[in-house]
Amino acid sequence: MSRPHENLIVVDFGSQVTQLIARRVRELGVYAEILPCDAPLSRIAGENPKGIILSGGPSSIYEDGAPRLDPAVLQLGVPVLGICYGLYVLVDGLGGRVEKSARHEYGAAEVEVREAVGPLAPFAVGSREAVWMSHGDHVTALPPGFRTVGSSKGCAHAAIVDPERRMWGVQFHPEVTHTPRGAEVLGAFLDQCGFTRDWSMSRFVEEAVERIRAQVGETGHVLCGLSGGVDSSVAALLVERAIGDRLHCVFVDNGLLRKDERAEVQAMFAGRLHNPLVVADAGERFLAALEGVSDPELKRKRIGATFIDVFDEKAHGIGGADFLVQGTLYPDVIESVSFKGGPSATIKTHHNVGGLPERMKMGVVEPLRELFKDEVRRLGLSLGLPEDMVWRHPFPGPGLAVRVLGEVTEERCDLLREADAIIIEEIREAGLYRELWQVFGVLLPVRSVGVMGDGRTYENALAVRAVQSTDAMTADWARLPYDVLGRISNRIINEVRGINRVCYDISSKPPATIEWE
């Protein structure tokens, strides 16, 4: 979609941190969009970018089948920055040479600044700047027109520049926090592109409202599945700002909710919307659809189809709706879609990505599709949502169905509900809730032997999952204090009959995902 504001394109070559490039650029006041490395020239040029960044990636440029860039992209006349593998794409595409390095660099390193120009313009000549490296190849011959402006112990050409063509390359990763002054490197590139850096949440709201009005028209009615989470809440308020009382919000009680969630959401939105929140009591229906199902992908698909059925019925109940609001975020899109011919792979299906069945005869309004989670939170605050709503931890669309591993039953959901409520209560009591991206329980499909009193038990095991993140694309397990973990375990085992063992998940993303399914 062409943007009315200035635009930067990030070309994705499969790096695990490509999304961080876009986020960092947006934080610097420039709208950035990610496109796959196999995007045609027309797609890239059609966005009318003022600058292009080539991401890192897992491949070696000299291997057969390694992803490359359409050479014509480098002829568009806009500044280009290549990062790690993106550097190799730039060098290889313009006549230089890249080879396997005898000395790999993974982790912290130092770049010596030879010239304070191009990507190293913010630094002093002769200084040694801390950076983060992750490479096993290196540049052995520069293309015509380039010169080296920085080097490291393991990389002679750690930063290069062609001032005539306004092309830069760096071996290190300026987008990660482990490169302390990486934002200055990206900022220097944005200035080279001539960006005014005027993109902001207020600017986004203005543009989003205009797009929603144009899409829905003057008479269209819109249905919104309002879960009470930050995504659907912000999406609802944004759409309502655009079309007023032609928005109709429905809360679906699917029997897969956390403890007391239905009552909390009803109280949260009482008097907040033009039209009263409608509650659909559909727990039995969802559980019936999940009977006998253990495969996580099938769970998600069954739940998504049942949501659609419920929304379809509610749309008929208001005399017909023309559109359905979905709280799709940018990471949902990235994680759900495999780029044809590119290096990225589908991780899991998101229930709110991919459109609606033909029979619904409704369009989809996705006002948050271009935003990361932290941006949605800022948007929510700017729209007037209270902080406790904006900072609610994410809850998956399929609900407890993907936290009850194996077959989903009402009994197992009830067990997890009680345990999860204890986890949240203890985390809040310890003052840790805002420090965590998510914390929750996972009911495992195993039973273990235990002893309670003088008797033997053979009951369920539960895993506690707590992570820290900013956008859910990457996450690290949280180092919760032992005393907090101890209280959580003790209370669950003593208060939730049917669970006799509590474990703590210490896996990061990647390689694990945040949710277990």
Side-chain angles (χ1 to χ4, degrees):
M1 179 190 302
S2 295
R3 311 296 307 175
H5 49 65
E6 299 173 324
N7 194 16
L8 180 136
I9 294 297
V10 179
V11 180
D12 179 21
F13 287 92
S15 170
Q16 294 287 346
V17 292
T18 295
Q19 294 76 29
L20 284 180
I21 302 173
R23 287 189 62 252
R24 297 287 178 258
V25 168
R26 292 185 187 189
E27 289 168 0
L28 292 168
V30 173
Y31 180 79
E33 180 179 358
I34 299 170
L35 293 181
C37 57
D38 60 354
L41 175 65
S42 59
R43 177 76 173 90
I44 296 174
E47 294 295 331
N48 194 30
K50 292 188 72 170
I52 296 172
I53 296 179
L54 311 179
S55 85
S59 303
S60 289
I61 193 72
Y62 47 77
E63 293 177 343
D64 291 340
R68 285 177 166 80
L69 189 69
D70 183 338
V73 173
L74 300 180
Q75 307 302 319
L76 291 176
V78 299
V80 178
L81 168 64
I83 296 174
C84 198
Y85 185 82
L87 163 68
Y88 305 149
V89 170
L90 198 60
V91 168
D92 180 77
L94 294 172
R97 187 169 63 251
V98 177
E99 297 177 345
K100 188 175 183 63
S101 176
R103 180 170 182 172
H104 299 183
E105 285 183 303
Y106 296 103
E110 287 187 338
V111 168
E112 182 179 356
V113 180
R114 295 186 184 180
E115 292 185 57
V117 298
L120 304 185
F123 310 127
V125 174
S127 67
R128 294 182 179 274
E129 300 297 330
V131 299
W132 189 260
M133 294 280 198
S134 181
H135 69 97
D137 299 329
H138 66 155
V139 175
T140 56
L142 294 178
F146 280 86
R147 69 176 187 269
T148 299
V149 295
S151 59
S152 69
K153 287 184 178 179
C155 183
H157 307 288
I160 65 174
V161 62
D162 179 342
E164 291 298 319
R165 288 181 287 186
R166 297 186 297 168
M167 291 184 180
W168 301 358
V170 292
Q171 184 67 76
F172 59 90
H173 287 268
E175 70 272 28
V176 302
T177 55
H178 303 294
T179 299
R181 299 182 67 183
E184 295 177 58
V185 173
L186 293 174
F189 177 68
L190 299 179
D191 292 340
Q192 171 71 24
C193 298
F195 285 108
T196 55
R197 302 207 206 179
D198 64 348
W199 191 77
S200 63
M201 277 299 107
S202 58
R203 177 80 178 269
F204 174 83
V205 170
E206 294 173 6
E207 295 172 357
V209 166
E210 290 177 7
R211 287 199 303 273
I212 293 165
R213 286 174 178 164
Q215 181 182 4
V216 174
E218 296 182 359
T219 59
H221 283 255
V222 177
L223 193 69
C224 176
L226 185 55
S227 70
V230 62
D231 302 338
S232 64
S233 300
V234 172
L237 290 189
L238 196 55
V239 173
E240 188 177 62
R241 177 170 290 198
I243 64 171
D245 62 6
R246 289 183 287 134
L247 174 70
H248 309 270
C249 292
V250 176
F251 175 81
V252 180
D253 185 346
N254 59 8
L256 306 169
L257 304 174
R258 290 167 290 195
K259 188 176 181 179
D260 300 328
E261 190 153 19
R262 174 172 171 170
E264 289 175 2
V265 173
Q266 286 180 288
M268 189 185 301
F269 285 95
R272 189 179 288 275
L273 301 166
H274 279 87
N275 294 317
L277 179 65
V278 175
V279 175
D281 194 347
E284 292 183 4
R285 189 168 180 173
F286 278 85
L287 289 171
L290 292 169
E291 186 174 354
V293 177
S294 296
D295 179 74
E297 274 294 287
L298 185 55
K299 284 182 185 179
R300 289 176 176 272
K301 290 175 180 176
R302 291 274 184 93
I303 290 168
T306 307
F307 266 118
I308 292 298
D309 289 339
V310 173
F311 291 144
D312 196 22
E313 292 169 7
K314 291 301 177 183
H316 283 94
I318 62 171
D322 305 286
F323 296 90
L324 177 69
V325 177
Q326 292 188 335
T328 311
L329 303 190
Y330 208 10
D332 297 337
V333 178
I334 295 165
E335 199 168 59
S336 293
V337 180
S338 296
F339 296 138
K340 182 180 179 183
S344 301
T346 298
I347 305 300
K348 60 188 176 184
T349 300
H350 286 267
H351 77 286
N352 58 349
V353 179
L356 302 176
E358 177 62 26
R359 63 181 171 82
M360 287 198 70
K361 308 296 183 186
M362 288 174 24
V364 176
V365 176
E366 298 176 305
L368 310 179
R369 187 182 177 92
E370 300 158 340
L371 299 184
F372 292 100
K373 192 78 171 191
D374 56 320
E375 294 173 324
V376 174
R377 294 193 197 281
R378 294 205 306 273
L379 176 57
L381 291 173
S382 72
L383 291 173
L385 287 175
E387 284 207 9
D388 60 343
M389 181 190 298
V390 168
W391 287 100
R392 286 186 79 195
H393 287 182
F395 188 59
L400 297 183
V402 292
R403 295 178 180 175
V404 173
L405 305 195
E407 184 177 359
V408 180
T409 65
E410 185 173 8
E411 178 186 11
R412 289 177 65 76
C413 286
D414 286 341
L415 275 180
L416 181 54
R417 248 187 289 274
E418 293 301 322
D420 194 71
I422 290 171
I423 294 169
I424 298 298
E425 183 179 327
E426 289 295 333
I427 290 296
R428 287 189 184 278
E429 185 68 23
L432 298 171
Y433 189 83
R434 282 284 294 271
E435 295 182 21
L436 300 174
W437 174 264
Q438 275 176 283
V439 61
F440 54 89
V442 180
L443 192 63
L444 305 181
V446 297
R447 299 173 75 187
S448 70
V449 174
V451 178
M452 290 187 178
D454 293 323
R456 173 187 184 275
T457 63
Y458 186 56
E459 295 178 336
N460 295 277
L462 178 119
V464 176
R465 178 72 157 145
V467 299
Q468 293 174 312
S469 181
T470 54
D471 57 15
M473 296 307 300
T474 60
D476 194 15
W477 63 278
R479 277 65 171 172
L480 294 182
Y482 288 159
D483 60 331
V484 175
L485 288 172
R487 287 197 299 272
I488 289 172
S489 176
N490 187 61
R491 283 193 60 192
I492 290 174
I493 291 172
N494 281 282
E495 298 176 29
V496 184
R497 188 169 183 178
I499 296 175
N500 70 352
R501 188 176 300 272
V502 175
C503 312
Y504 190 54
D505 182 350
I506 58 171
S507 309
S508 296
K509 176 185 180 181
T513 53
I514 295 177
E515 299 288 345
W516 280 44
E517 290 189 344

